[in-house]
Amino acid sequence: MRQTIVAGNWKMNASKESVNTLVLGILEGLPEVKNSKVIVCAPFPYLSQVEALATHSQLNLGAQDLNVNASGAFTGEVSADMIKDFGVKYVVVGHSERRSLYGETDEIVADKVQVALDNELTPLFCIGELLEERESGKTEVVVARQINAVIAKVGIKAFKNIIIAYEPVWAIGTGVTATPQQAQDTHAFIRSLLAENDADIAQSTPILYGGSMNSANAEELIACEDIDGGLIGGASLKPEDFLSICKAG
């Protein structure tokens, strides 16, 4: 039985005051979350603050990216060792915004997954198609290409330590959500693709949905057979909404 996982991706939204309010609000309601593992992925400057607030709680800390290099002349970049210094256990890799805005290819994403695993960090490995790719019937082709690039790099067995997040790009931050059936169909395809390589890994790998999941649709989405939780954007910035999604598991 796969555990429900709900991860909040704050993106580039934070201040010292808002982080304090948000984390304390989540911590207050966390005892009511019975079945979900809860993760918050904070911007780099606030990792220390979240770590301090969440000490001795069930709230897990994640980062939003990492550099493939361990150290060196890479101005503005952050390494795996740096984020681990702040109690980070999870890291978002391959988010569509990193792919589209910063030119991260499937190969770069695969390299980042490898570095995360090498440093005992659990990748929240993001995949998903653009609107024009869905409309032209290429969803499965795109998703398979993205997953196969990582399998080729790290091997199928590594997926026992990877969380997949399927995020249809056309549904991120748009308020448009894939229907439960659309989401389930793609999640089932992802699991079948893993099963072609290893049936046990396919059954144990968590696959989260990451396209405008909110308090109103979370329960219906998470109830789908192959949807194991959510990677939450905007709704993760409001404690009440985020906790509602966490409780849906």
Side-chain angles (χ1 to χ4, degrees):
M1 182 89 177
R2 297 180 299 271
Q3 182 180 17
T4 300
I5 300 169
V6 179
N9 177 17
W10 297 352
K11 305 189 180 185
M12 198 174 72
N13 298 289
S15 67
K16 289 171 73 173
E17 182 180 0
S18 69
V19 167
N20 195 67
T21 301
L22 177 54
V23 174
L24 291 178
I26 293 171
L27 292 175
E28 183 178 359
L30 204 56
E32 299 173 21
V33 177
K34 304 301 182 185
N35 300 315
S36 299
K37 176 178 288 186
V38 181
I39 305 166
V40 292
C41 299
F44 294 135
Y46 301 98
L47 292 176
S48 178
Q49 184 181 354
V50 179
E51 179 191 27
L53 290 168
T55 299
H56 305 308
S57 77
Q58 297 302 306
L59 186 62
N60 297 277
L61 183 54
Q64 296 179 16
D65 191 26
L66 81 171
N67 188 276
V68 297
N69 298 283
S71 62
F74 303 100
T75 300
E77 292 296 298
V78 176
S79 71
D81 278 343
M82 289 176 177
I83 61 176
K84 286 171 63 179
D85 249 354
F86 297 97
V88 169
K89 303 294 184 186
Y90 301 87
V91 59
V92 178
V93 177
H95 192 279
S96 63
E97 291 155 6
R98 298 299 312 177
R99 294 177 188 261
S100 65
L101 299 177
Y102 301 99
E104 293 192 2
T105 63
D106 293 340
E107 291 70 31
I108 290 172
V109 173
D111 288 343
K112 289 189 173 188
V113 170
Q114 178 74 75
V115 169
L117 293 171
D118 288 347
N119 285 276
E120 299 182 332
L121 293 164
T122 299
L124 291 159
F125 163 47
C126 299
I127 59 174
E129 81 283 11
L130 302 171
L131 178 59
E132 53 266 34
E133 291 168 334
R134 171 165 283 273
E135 289 179 339
S136 60
K138 295 179 179 177
T139 295
E140 293 185 356
V141 172
V142 172
V143 167
R145 187 197 75 224
Q146 293 168 335
I147 292 177
N148 284 332
V150 172
I151 294 175
K153 182 70 178 181
V154 303
I156 188 63
K157 295 297 185 184
F159 277 76
K160 67 180 182 292
N161 296 311
I162 294 173
I163 299 168
I164 295 174
Y166 167 61
E167 41 162 33
V169 180
W170 47 273
I172 299 172
T174 63
V176 177
T177 309
T179 66
Q181 191 59 57
Q182 285 176 319
Q184 165 58 25
D185 287 348
T186 305
H187 279 240
F189 170 75
I190 294 165
R191 209 172 296 286
S192 72
L193 185 65
L194 297 175
E196 291 176 8
N197 295 272
D198 189 304
D200 291 338
I201 290 290
Q203 286 306 308
S204 64
T205 300
I207 308 174
L208 314 185
Y209 175 73
S212 294
M213 183 183 285
N214 55 51
S215 56
N217 60 30
E219 188 170 352
E220 188 176 12
L221 285 162
I222 294 174
C224 294
E225 181 179 356
D226 291 296
I227 298 179
D228 303 313
L231 179 61
I232 315 301
S236 71
L237 299 173
K238 301 175 182 178
E240 185 176 341
D241 290 353
F242 186 58
L243 286 165
S244 178
I245 297 169
C246 295
K247 293 173 188 175

